[in-house]
Amino acid sequence: MYFPSPLISALELKQELNNPQLIILDCTIDKVGQSLKDSPLTLIPNSLFFDIENRFSDPNSKLPHTLVSEEIFTKEAQALSINQDSILVLYDRWGIYSSPRAWWMFKVMGFNQVYVLNGGLPAWIEHQYAVSEHYASIPINGNFQAHFTYKWYADKDYILERYKNNDTYIFDARSNGRFNGAVAEPRKGLRGGHIPNSHNLPFEVVLNGNYYRTKEELSTIFEASNSSGTEQIFTCGSGITASIIAFSSYLAGHQNIRVYDGSWAEWGQENLILPIVS
């Protein structure tokens, strides 16, 4: 079974709950200054926890949320019983926040049968579907094998090579104030401003509350940027909200997209002295 779109509805998920290939992953992380750790755990039934912050981020990196190697990703994904033929549905308890990051991570690791639940847990609850207070047990290791796919990925060196090119369009998902350097960065030791020739698209623009805007609305947003037909690179503070707008571009029909893994947490470092406009 294949869902017709990478973005699925709560109803579509409910109809497939008995599919033996289906694996539901809660991809929730804390927001800056906000946490759900002290809230009662409410989940879609049979969920497993996809731990972006710890198991799927490099603990040796000084940057937040840095991708792990394909070997570690393979090991951790197998520990979640993920197989090569699994169908993955990703959600987060905020609505739409960190689940697109997990979607991008699986794409980078060469896995295609991965979908995002539109509206996340709030959408599921809105439909009054059953919920659980516990994660499901993990029966056996899966046979998932990661294969790092560079066409989805950008690092600092790739940005330096491409940011002056006319066929590369860089979107920054941070707020307008942070993009222009008028508002201080939430992380210490970072300069204000943005990558030269990048364009501001705050991630909230592509959302309608907890949901993504329609494909038509998203197409209009990207058409207004005159970015159609070019390579698109997405950045933000640490690679999380960049993935929100990268996924929205994919929904709008763009295929040549990359997320800058280090994002402003790397580019804005005072000691790197990288080109910045403010």
Side-chain angles (χ1 to χ4, degrees):
M1 182 273 166
Y2 297 90
F3 292 108
S5 167
L7 183 69
I8 70 167
S9 68
L11 176 59
E12 287 177 300
L13 174 57
K14 185 174 185 296
Q15 291 172 336
E16 292 298 321
L17 285 182
N18 293 324
N19 189 326
Q21 292 176 266
L22 180 69
I23 295 180
I24 304 171
L25 298 178
D26 168 27
C27 307
T28 304
I29 67 170
D30 288 347
K31 294 183 177 182
V32 176
Q34 293 179 271
S35 176
L36 293 174
K37 286 185 171 66
D38 294 328
S39 301
L41 187 62
T42 304
L43 303 165
I44 297 172
N46 298 318
S47 294
L48 300 175
F49 184 44
F50 184 81
D51 190 352
I52 292 176
E53 292 278 18
N54 298 297
R55 295 190 176 277
F56 288 92
S57 291
D58 183 358
N60 298 316
S61 174
K62 295 180 180 179
L63 302 174
H65 314 129
T66 305
L67 278 173
V68 294
S69 68
E70 61 181 9
E71 292 79 13
I72 293 175
F73 198 97
T74 293
K75 174 178 175 289
E76 296 295 345
Q78 287 182 353
L80 291 172
S81 294
I82 298 174
N83 294 311
Q84 288 297 93
D85 64 351
S86 292
I87 300 167
L88 306 183
V89 173
L90 317 177
Y91 75 96
D92 60 73
R93 284 175 273 149
W94 296 106
I96 293 291
Y97 184 64
S98 47
S99 51
R101 171 69 180 191
W103 171 86
W104 172 75
M105 293 165 75
F106 276 103
K107 287 292 190 180
V108 172
M109 294 300 171
F111 194 80
N112 291 319
Q113 281 298 101
V114 56
Y115 304 89
V116 171
L117 177 62
N118 198 12
L121 180 66
W124 186 263
I125 292 173
E126 185 179 310
H127 282 78
Q128 299 183 338
Y129 295 150
V131 296
S132 174
E133 297 177 352
H134 307 282
Y135 290 109
S137 59
I138 302 173
I140 57 173
N141 276 14
N143 61 22
F144 175 91
Q145 289 292 325
H147 300 284
F148 201 96
T149 309
Y150 282 95
K151 72 175 184 177
W152 292 93
Y153 176 83
D155 59 12
K156 169 175 60 67
D157 292 334
Y158 190 85
I159 301 288
L160 284 169
E161 291 174 2
R162 304 290 296 177
Y163 78 91
K164 293 181 181 179
N165 291 11
N166 292 330
D167 61 346
T168 296
Y169 205 95
I170 302 174
F171 287 99
D172 191 321
R174 294 175 301 154
S175 68
N176 182 262
R178 290 173 64 189
F179 180 81
N180 290 315
V183 174
E185 288 293 311
R187 295 177 179 87
K188 295 181 179 179
L190 298 180
R191 300 157 67 194
H194 57 268
I195 298 169
N197 300 319
S198 61
H199 306 267
N200 194 205
L201 179 60
F203 74 92
E204 296 93 345
V205 173
V206 304
L207 301 178
N208 183 11
N210 289 323
Y211 297 85
Y212 271 104
R213 295 191 179 276
T214 66
K215 180 179 179 179
E216 293 72 22
E217 289 173 324
L218 295 175
S219 296
T220 298
I221 289 169
F222 286 99
E223 286 170 4
S225 69
N226 296 316
S227 62
S228 298
T230 62
E231 174 187 55
Q232 297 179 346
I233 301 175
F234 298 87
T235 183
C236 61
S238 65
I240 301 296
T241 59
S243 302
I244 296 176
I245 58 174
F247 186 76
S248 72
S249 179
Y250 191 76
L251 291 174
H254 301 121
Q255 301 292 318
N256 193 6
I257 63 176
R258 298 171 182 259
V259 170
Y260 173 21
D261 195 29
S263 282
W264 200 254
E266 178 178 48
W267 195 274
Q269 289 181 29
E270 295 173 346
N271 61 306
L272 291 181
I273 318 177
L274 294 168
I276 286 176
V277 175
S278 60

